[in-house]
Amino acid sequence: MEETQKVPRHVSIIMDGNGRWAKARGKERLYGHFEGVESVRACVEASVEAGVKYLSLYAFSEENWERPDDEVSGLMELMMKAMKEELANFLASGIRFLVLGNRARLSDSLNAAIDSIQEQTASGDRLTLILFVSYSGKWDMLQAARKLAASFAGNPEDIDFKDVDAALVTSDIPDPDLLIRTSGEQRLSNYLLWQCAYTEFLFSDTLWPDFRKPQFFAALKEYAGRDRRYGKVK
Ligand code: FPP
């Protein structure tokens, strides 16, 4: 297979290490998140350049609500500001923007901004950029189970894998081909538990604010060399 044919369709990233990056510079944790937004911009640009069709980012987990109040409110403000600032760029670059997660926990003003940006970018067809906010994999599976239980009148044995796929918040999104986690941590941290069944994992020691285009392209190169067998023999 040619190198160009092995660009992952969906790259997902657990952006980790902002706090440590800031601490190493004697700064507040929020400074790291602020700089992390620059890495998001770089990876969005790199995805468009490489022909990646879906880029998803774990921006805020359900567990992150337990962080100190000022960090939580700072992150929410940062997301609101960054997505508003990027709107013109999304429209110019053909980027469809989506937020997936437990949106009931977000403020009315953030939800209104998300709805507006999602609507305005709905026809973007070069890249779908997904922010997972107030998301966890177990929450997603729980809400899917509740949805199926409420809507399924027949024999539970008739529930199939595709029904679970359709009940998850990612129903319209293909499963990730490549999952990158930065900062040297090697765990899934309650992210896309069902959807990562056959995803290739790549763990990078780079802290998220330092993860820019060269690191992203290096990850795509490593992916191109992986042999995906999906449990079968080739
Ligand atoms: C993990 O680092 C990072 C986060 C929990 C937040 C990431 C969010 C952003 C970069 C903002 C994205 C916003 C937009 C609109 C794209 P950490 O705090 O867990 O770092 P540590 O492990 O070093 O403490």
Side-chain angles (χ1 to χ4, degrees):
M1 192 182 271
E2 281 176 38
E3 198 89 328
T4 50
Q5 288 176 277
K6 294 193 77 178
V7 173
R9 181 156 64 135
H10 180 176
V11 177
S12 194
I13 308 180
I14 301 178
M15 309 179 288
D16 199 4
N18 294 348
R20 278 164 282 167
W21 187 92
K23 197 175 171 206
R25 286 156 181 80
K27 306 266 193 185
E28 297 288 318
R29 296 174 55 78
L30 268 172
Y31 180 68
H33 299 316
F34 194 78
E35 198 59 31
V37 174
E38 295 308 314
S39 297
V40 170
R41 283 200 185 97
C43 291
V44 169
E45 270 182 40
S47 295
V48 171
E49 284 171 30
V52 169
K53 298 306 285 182
Y54 296 83
L55 175 67
S56 59
L57 306 167
Y58 202 8
F60 193 88
S61 71
E62 281 278 81
E63 291 78 10
N64 287 155
W65 289 111
E66 306 301 324
R67 291 192 175 194
D69 288 349
D70 58 345
E71 185 173 349
V72 171
S73 58
L75 271 168
M76 293 295 150
E77 276 170 37
L78 183 61
M79 279 191 279
M80 174 98 104
K81 184 169 167 281
M83 66 178 83
K84 283 182 175 172
E85 278 175 7
E86 288 309 304
L87 176 60
N89 181 31
F90 292 160
L91 294 170
S93 309
I95 295 171
R96 175 168 72 125
F97 178 78
L98 294 177
V99 170
L100 298 178
N102 189 359
R103 290 203 32 203
R105 295 188 77 174
L106 305 183
S107 70
D108 290 347
S109 57
L110 184 55
N111 272 321
I114 292 167
D115 285 341
S116 164
I117 297 170
Q118 288 189 157
E119 269 169 42
Q120 292 180 74
T121 63
S123 63
D125 59 1
R126 278 182 89 188
L127 172 74
T128 297
L129 172 63
I130 304 142
L131 277 197
F132 283 96
V133 180
S134 194
Y135 180 85
S136 80
K138 285 193 176 185
W139 166 82
D140 197 2
M141 287 157 92
L142 180 63
Q143 67 80 33
R146 287 175 177 156
K147 225 187 267 175
L148 286 170
S151 67
F152 210 80
N155 182 348
E157 288 295 319
D158 292 338
I159 298 176
D160 206 345
F161 294 110
K162 67 174 175 14
D163 300 310
V164 179
D165 281 332
L168 294 164
V169 296
T170 49
S171 58
D172 298 326
I173 313 291
D175 289 344
D177 299 294
L178 172 64
L179 175 76
I180 300 167
R181 182 169 188 153
T182 58
S183 88
E185 308 292 350
Q186 302 194 0
R187 46 178 183 266
L188 202 43
S189 296
N190 206 357
Y191 190 38
L192 298 165
L193 301 177
W194 170 277
Q195 298 88 338
C196 282
Y198 278 102
T199 300
E200 294 292 326
F201 287 11
L202 192 152
F203 299 107
S204 163
D205 286 335
T206 304
L207 302 177
W208 177 247
D210 290 327
F211 196 91
R212 301 285 165 98
K213 279 190 181 183
Q215 290 76 17
F216 188 87
F217 288 130
L220 294 193
K221 195 169 174 203
E222 180 169 340
Y223 173 85
R226 298 270 180 102
D227 183 19
R228 299 183 79 187
R229 290 189 297 277
Y230 301 93
K232 298 172 191 151
V233 177
K234 268 193 180 164

